[in-house]
């Protein structure tokens, strides 16, 4: 799994429990809010039931006054009628008023022509109040959605005082109830027929709801709650239900569920939106952090792949100061080192092939000469002087070959750390004379002046005479090689502090300053700048071209430095392009006690 994937999984792992807790809390808040609202609705239904109950009480009151008269007064019909008239007078919704005996027969009726009660109603009312409590029944016999409320109170001697009231009278108390917006109040009688509805009353009055789900919600309790689609207007509402005392009437207060829960729902949505914003911010933050970590890793990986694929200039980004930048810096430092090593290896490869071709050349040229001269020697009748000249040349070339091979052997000894030199008393003057003698012929060929400066008494040095001779020979050979024809090469020696210094000064092409630090490196071969040679005394460009082609493998100075160090001395050089060079061999003095060998 990628780093980005892991970080995202970490973020999701952190956010998920938060999300679950948040949703659970939202669920709890929602159900509590719902319960609160539902309870509120039930209370409103209860309140409406109380209002209706009070109104009924108010209707019972005048009937109770009549019923409280003594029995002999009730037998006085004209007085009773007067009482009924007085009770009816200020009640515009009251249709009629009558006193029934225990059999339901009218003892007195007001107004006089009011006629009889519908069949069965009188008996029902008398029967109900027989238990000693007032009763109310709905009289639907008028038809066309009209109904009357028949309220009755019991008489002590049996029978009842009954008043019939216009259903419209209910509007007054029930309309006065303050309800939330779009709430609907409905009043059902004992048979669950609608006797009042605050909205679309005309169409609803008389509707039978006995088969609806309302009834199951109440069961035996006084209040209840049900969510139901109204069979009157088809709107889904939450209904709070309340029984009106012992009358069997039921009040329902319904509010469309969408409206009832709207504010709670809005609040909940608010919480949810805040939660989502938090989740979004967390995830975006996690994404950005993942990106900020994954991106440098990706770029570093890309750089590593490029580098691994051979593009050694590939580097990782290092902007910033964090761990990734430091990792990038370390990678770049490593890449830098590897690139340098790679370049050095390539350079060594190049030098190796150059070395091999130079060695072949160095071996082939003198061998060819030796072979040609041998053929000439095999001819009959060769002059004695020529014969001697050829043999001498062969001998010189053989010496050069031996020197060359010895150089190669020294190289492998130095590389293997097994180069050994002796430490003996050596007279510097003898070494110088022997080198000048052996190099005189080559110098002469190039028309150089090769001489030794007269020197005062030079003390003996501590060195390996054979190796010292080889080192000095190589320095003088270089002076001959790198000085244009007709140059001047001067050897001198003298004591300097605790050393003896042998100097070889030429007036040749000199060494460029940029070559100085690598002059003694193995296989280093200098390339003279054209102008430097042109500046050299008595030198032409043509001579430079010849000079640039001088043979060599770039080992002489490397071996010389190593051998000098083994002998406890060193080589130094002072050179100016176009003016010449001075090479100095610094050698430790010979003391009677022997040599102070280097560590
Ligand atoms: P080689 O002579 O085989 O090239 P050396 O190690 O003896 O190898 O010399 C290394 C390089 O130093 C030479 O190639 C040359 O460029 C430079 N050099 C040495 N001696 C002199 C000199 N006297 N004058 C100018 N350049 C010199």
């Amino acid at each position: 799994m990628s780093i980005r994937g892991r970080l995202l999984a970490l973020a999701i792992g952190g956010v998920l429990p938060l999300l679950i807790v948040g949703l659970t809390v939202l669920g709890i808040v929602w159900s509590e809010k719902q319960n609160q609202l539902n309870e509120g609705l039930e209370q409103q239904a209860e309140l409406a039931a109380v209002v209706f109950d009070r109104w009924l009480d108010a209707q019972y009151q005048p009937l109770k006054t009549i019923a409280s008269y003594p029995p002999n007064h009730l037998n006085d019909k004209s007085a009773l009628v007067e009482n009924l008239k007085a009770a009816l007078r200020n009640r515009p919704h009251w249709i009629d008023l009558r006193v029934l005996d225990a059999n339901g027969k009218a003892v007195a009726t007001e107004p006089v022509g009011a006629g009889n009660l519908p069949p069965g109603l009188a008996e029902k009312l008398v029967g109900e109040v027989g238990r000693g409590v007032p009763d109310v029944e709905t009289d639907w016999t008028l038809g066309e959605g009209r109904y009357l409320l028949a309220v009755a109170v019991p008489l002590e001697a049996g029978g009842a005082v009954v008043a019939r009231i216009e259903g419209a009278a209910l509007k007054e108390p029930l309309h006065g109830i303050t309800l939330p917006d779009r709430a609907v109040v409905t009043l059902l009688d004992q048979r669950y027929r609608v006797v009042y509805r605050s909205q679309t009353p005309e169409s609803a009055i008389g509707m039978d709801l006995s088969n609806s789900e309302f009834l199951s919600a109440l069961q035996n309790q006084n209040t209840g709650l049900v969510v139901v689609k109204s069979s009157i207007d088809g709107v889904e509402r939450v209904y709070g239900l309340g029984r009106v005392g012992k009358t069997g009437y039921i009040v329902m207060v319904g509010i469309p569920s969408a409206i009832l829960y709207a504010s709670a729902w809005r609040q909940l949505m608010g919480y949810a939106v805040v939660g989502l914003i938090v989740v979004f911010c967390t995830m975006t933050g996690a994404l950005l952090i993942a990106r900020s970590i994954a991106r440098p890793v990706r770029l570093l990986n890309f750089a590593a792949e490029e580098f691994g694929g051979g593009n050694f200039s590939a580097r990782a980004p290092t902007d910033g100061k964090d761990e990734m930048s430091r990792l990038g810096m370390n990678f770049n430092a490593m890449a830098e080192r590897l690139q340098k090593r790679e370049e050095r290896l390539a350079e060594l490869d190049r030098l190796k092939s150059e070395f091999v071709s130079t060695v072949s050349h160095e071996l082939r040229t003198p061998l060819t000469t030796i072979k040609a001269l041998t053929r000439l020697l095999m001819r009959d009748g060769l002059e004695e002087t020529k014969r001697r000249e050829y043999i001498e040349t062969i001998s010189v070339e053989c010496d050069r070959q031996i020197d060359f091979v010895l150089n190669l052997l020294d190289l492998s000894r130095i590389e293997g750390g097994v180069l050994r030199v002796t430490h003996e008393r050596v007279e510097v003057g003898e070494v110088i004379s022997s080198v000048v003698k052996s190099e005189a012929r080559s110098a002469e060929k190039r028309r150089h002046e090769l001489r030794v400066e007269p020197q005062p008494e030079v003390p003996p040095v501590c060195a390996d005479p054979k190796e010292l001779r080889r080192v000095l020979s190589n320095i003088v050979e270089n002076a001959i090689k790198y000085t244009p024809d007709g140059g001047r090469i001067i050897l001198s020696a003298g004591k300097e502090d605790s050393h003896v210094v042998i100097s070889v000064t030429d007036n040749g092409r000199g060494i460029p300053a940029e070559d100085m630090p690598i002059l003694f490196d193995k296989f280093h071969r200098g390339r003279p700048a054209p102008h430097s040679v042109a500046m050299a005394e008595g030198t032409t460009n043509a001579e430079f071209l010849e000079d640039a082609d001088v043979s060599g493998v770039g080992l002489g100075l490397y071996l010389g430095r190593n051998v000098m160090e083994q002998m406890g001395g060193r080589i130094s050089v002072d050179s100016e392009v176009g003016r010449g060079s001075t090479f100095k061999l610094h050698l430790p003095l010979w003391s009677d006690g022997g040599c102070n060998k280097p560590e």
Side-chain angles (χ1 to χ4, degrees):
M1 198 186 209
S2 69
I3 291 184
R4 183 190 281 215
R6 281 173 206 208
L7 286 168
L8 275 181
L10 188 71
I12 291 169
V15 166
L16 209 62
L18 271 179
L19 211 64
I20 292 169
V21 169
L23 285 175
T24 314
V25 169
L26 280 185
I28 293 170
V29 168
W30 173 243
S31 79
E32 272 181 9
K33 268 273 173 213
Q34 242 184 347
N35 284 345
Q36 259 177 22
L37 290 166
N38 292 346
E39 272 173 28
L41 201 60
E42 271 187 62
Q43 281 166 7
Q44 270 171 347
E46 213 176 345
L47 193 76
V50 169
V51 168
F52 179 60
D53 206 22
R54 292 269 159 78
W55 179 83
L56 277 179
D57 265 351
Q59 310 309 309
Y60 292 145
Q61 218 45 60
L63 305 184
K64 280 181 180 169
T65 312
I66 296 169
S68 64
Y69 292 148
N72 58 343
H73 181 81
L74 290 174
N75 293 334
D76 181 353
K77 208 164 176 192
S78 61
L80 191 59
V81 168
E82 274 314 305
N83 286 336
L84 295 181
K85 259 188 191 153
L88 204 56
R89 195 168 303 134
N90 290 325
R91 294 186 167 80
H93 292 295
W94 284 29
I95 304 293
D96 51 24
L97 188 60
R98 47 178 62 79
V99 177
L100 302 176
D101 62 14
N103 298 319
K105 245 186 100 199
V107 177
T109 303
E110 186 58 38
V112 183
N116 291 328
L117 287 174
L121 182 58
E123 291 74 15
K124 172 117 175 81
L125 285 168
V126 170
E128 288 294 330
V129 298
R131 294 199 289 266
V133 285
D135 184 38
V136 57
E137 299 288 336
T138 321
D139 175 6
W140 293 99
T141 51
L142 296 180
E144 292 171 5
R146 263 195 78 199
Y147 67 95
L148 302 174
L149 286 174
V151 292
V153 298
L155 285 171
E156 211 172 296
V161 185
V162 179
R164 286 199 299 168
I165 306 166
E166 189 72 58
L170 279 177
K171 279 184 189 162
E172 194 187 314
L174 294 178
H175 243 60
I177 302 170
T178 320
L179 288 170
D181 186 31
R182 293 184 60 188
V184 55
V185 182
T186 312
L187 181 64
L188 306 180
D189 66 7
Q190 296 97 329
R191 282 175 201 84
Y192 310 111
R193 294 178 71 178
V194 177
V195 290
Y196 172 83
R197 193 165 191 274
S198 58
Q199 280 181 17
T200 57
E202 289 79 16
S203 57
I205 300 303
M207 198 171 242
D208 186 355
L209 299 182
S210 58
N211 289 327
S212 70
E213 298 161 56
F214 293 111
L215 310 178
S216 58
L218 255 185
Q219 290 172 352
N220 294 325
Q221 291 144 358
N222 283 332
T223 57
L225 194 95
V226 65
V227 181
V228 98
K229 197 166 177 184
S230 167
S231 48
I232 298 169
D233 56 13
V235 177
E236 189 190 82
R237 290 189 180 84
V238 185
Y239 286 93
L241 300 122
R243 285 187 194 282
V244 185
K246 299 215 173 347
T247 59
Y249 278 61
I250 295 168
V251 176
M252 304 195 303
V253 176
I255 300 180
S257 28
I259 290 179
L260 179 67
Y261 301 133
S263 72
W265 185 246
R266 269 199 301 276
Q267 199 179 0
L268 207 73
M269 282 298 116
Y271 291 149
V273 167
V274 170
L276 280 178
I277 289 173
V278 169
V279 168
F280 176 76
C281 289
T282 313
M283 291 309 288
T284 312
L287 259 175
L288 289 178
I289 291 171
R291 202 177 123 85
S292 74
I293 294 175
R295 191 170 169 272
V297 172
R298 222 178 43 245
L299 292 177
L300 183 63
N301 187 37
F302 178 71
E305 273 175 10
E306 282 280 295
F307 197 86
N311 175 10
F312 296 114
S313 60
R315 294 290 181 274
T318 54
D319 22 307
K321 286 184 178 156
D322 55 3
E323 290 81 353
M324 289 313 298
S325 304
R326 281 208 291 280
L327 183 62
M329 281 179 206
N330 287 336
F331 173 84
N332 288 351
M334 184 194 75
E336 203 76 42
R337 282 198 298 275
L338 285 175
Q339 187 181 14
K340 281 204 179 118
R341 223 172 102 175
E342 197 60 30
E343 282 166 4
R344 179 85 192 120
L345 284 175
E347 173 68 5
L348 277 179
D349 253 8
R350 191 187 63 74
L351 287 173
K352 205 168 79 187
S353 354
E354 204 176 290
F355 172 72
V356 170
S357 86
T358 314
V359 166
S360 323
H361 179 75
E362 286 289 309
L363 289 172
R364 202 187 58 199
T365 314
L367 285 176
T368 315
T369 311
I370 292 168
K371 190 172 178 191
L373 291 176
T374 321
R375 283 220 175 114
L376 285 175
L377 281 174
M378 285 195 293
R379 280 192 191 161
D380 294 333
L382 196 67
E383 283 177 26
E384 182 56 21
T385 47
K386 282 276 175 202
R387 199 180 65 84
R388 286 191 70 82
E389 189 191 324
Y390 291 165
I391 289 174
E392 259 174 43
T393 308
I394 287 172
S395 164
V396 167
E397 289 300 340
C398 282
D399 283 347
R400 273 185 59 192
Q401 291 302 292
I402 291 165
D403 265 2
F404 183 62
V405 173
L406 283 177
N407 276 351
L408 292 181
L409 278 174
D410 278 353
L411 172 67
S412 86
R413 281 197 197 114
I414 288 170
E415 299 288 281
V418 291
L419 179 73
R420 297 283 173 264
V421 294
T422 61
H423 297 86
E424 303 166 31
R425 179 196 159 104
V426 178
E427 291 297 339
V428 169
E430 285 175 15
V431 176
I432 292 176
S433 305
S434 116
V435 168
V436 167
K437 200 174 158 197
S438 64
E439 296 300 333
R441 217 175 127 80
S442 318
E444 207 179 288
K445 271 191 185 166
R446 301 283 306 274
R447 287 182 284 112
H448 290 319
E449 175 193 356
L450 175 66
R451 65 182 164 83
V452 183
E453 264 197 351
Q455 51 217 317
E457 193 69 10
V458 180
V461 295
C462 186
D464 182 327
K466 236 169 82 189
E467 291 297 336
L468 178 61
R469 198 167 296 120
R470 280 185 59 211
V471 173
L472 188 61
S473 287
N474 182 59
I475 302 262
V476 173
E477 272 168 25
N478 279 352
I480 294 169
K481 275 198 295 188
Y482 301 116
T483 299
D485 288 359
R488 192 174 58 243
I489 298 153
I490 299 168
L491 281 84
S492 66
K495 184 170 174 291
E496 275 182 24
D497 302 327
S498 58
H499 283 85
V500 165
V501 177
I502 305 173
S503 309
V504 181
T505 304
D506 64 54
N507 63 344
R509 70 190 197 193
I511 300 160
E514 65 268 22
D515 277 3
M516 282 303 200
I518 50 169
L519 190 68
F520 292 93
D521 284 4
K522 103 184 119 175
F523 304 132
H524 166 72
R525 299 216 65 217
R527 296 276 181 275
H531 73 276
S532 69
V533 180
M535 278 163 65
E537 237 176 75
T539 312
T540 62
N541 272 338
E543 282 168 336
F544 155 65
L545 291 173
E546 221 174 84
D547 178 67
D549 199 26
V550 289
S551 61
V553 286
L555 275 180
L557 290 182
Y558 172 74
L559 294 176
R561 188 186 61 178
N562 278 279
V563 169
M564 285 302 289
E565 280 169 5
Q566 287 277 321
M567 293 191 301
R570 64 184 174 91
I571 301 187
S572 65
V573 61
D574 194 9
S575 182
E576 196 181 330
V577 171
R579 292 210 169 278
S581 317
T582 299
F583 281 84
K584 288 183 178 175
L585 304 182
H586 303 251
L587 290 154
L589 284 171
W590 168 264
S591 67
D592 288 338
C595 287
N596 289 328
K597 289 184 196 168
E599 291 294 306

